[in-house]
Amino acid sequence: MVNQRDSVIGPYADWALAALKALRHNGIRRVPPSRVEIEAIRAQQPIICRFYFLDGKAKAIGVEPSWTGADVIKAVADKVGLKSTNGWAIFESTPTSEHFIRNHEYIGDILSEWEVEKRTSMETTAYKTLARKGATAAIGAGDAKFVFRRRLFL
């Protein structure tokens, strides 16, 4: 833990240290961070992303820029009450393709690619929530989506 005497720099330093530890463990990023990631880091808030299910429903979940596919699978599973993540996966779905997100891939890299490709999914849009607290706007409602579903092995 970084010296907390500086109330402004201390939280950023703690976040940077945690991100560096994750980077050391998971490997380097493929692309530079997106504008959304930089804004999230400045605000010291997670990136709120929509994750869709095969029944058409979606859950908004806060994602840290240093999270990988495995981290997101665990977060989605926790949010919906899954006891085991065995066989579950996150997919990136676009109008032209579907891509299995591997456990070691950074979600931030995918978001950066969406930004470069000018996908409408990078626009923050409002959503309704039944919860009294939490975010009411998220990214991921446009032409590219994160889909949480079982991965079939053939």
Side-chain angles (χ1 to χ4, degrees):
M1 183 99 142
V2 175
N3 185 344
Q4 292 295 320
R5 285 186 287 178
D6 188 332
S7 63
V8 175
I9 301 299
Y12 286 109
D14 286 340
W15 179 88
L17 182 61
L20 284 172
K21 286 179 182 177
L23 194 66
R24 182 173 177 217
H25 177 72
N26 297 318
I28 61 170
R29 298 267 310 257
R30 289 182 292 119
V31 294
S34 66
R35 176 190 48 79
V36 171
E37 284 183 74
I38 293 168
E39 289 173 9
I41 292 165
R42 283 185 181 153
Q44 297 179 20
Q45 296 292 320
I47 302 165
I48 308 299
C49 296
R50 284 185 179 90
F51 292 89
Y52 290 85
F53 301 91
L54 292 181
D55 63 359
K57 294 180 181 174
K59 290 280 184 188
I61 297 175
V63 175
E64 295 295 332
S66 61
W67 279 11
T68 61
D71 297 321
V72 173
I73 290 169
K74 181 168 179 359
V76 173
D78 289 347
K79 180 92 172 190
V80 299
L82 275 179
K83 295 190 186 323
S84 172
T85 59
N86 289 338
W88 290 95
I90 301 286
F91 289 80
E92 172 193 14
S93 178
T94 68
T96 58
S97 68
E98 186 172 80
H99 164 247
F100 163 63
I101 300 171
R102 300 192 182 284
N103 284 344
H104 65 275
E105 286 184 75
Y106 288 101
I107 296 300
D109 283 346
I110 295 166
L111 295 175
S112 291
E113 289 168 354
W114 287 2
E115 186 174 90
V116 167
E117 295 167 0
K118 299 193 183 331
R119 297 227 175 252
T120 58
S121 295
M122 286 303 287
E123 297 171 11
T124 302
T125 55
Y127 68 90
K128 291 183 181 177
T129 179
L130 297 176
R132 293 181 186 200
K133 60 181 179 177
T136 57
I139 60 173
D143 58 352
K145 297 179 179 176
F146 290 121
V147 180
F148 183 76
R149 66 177 176 87
R150 286 267 191 196
R151 181 164 186 228
L152 299 176
F153 301 95
L154 300 177

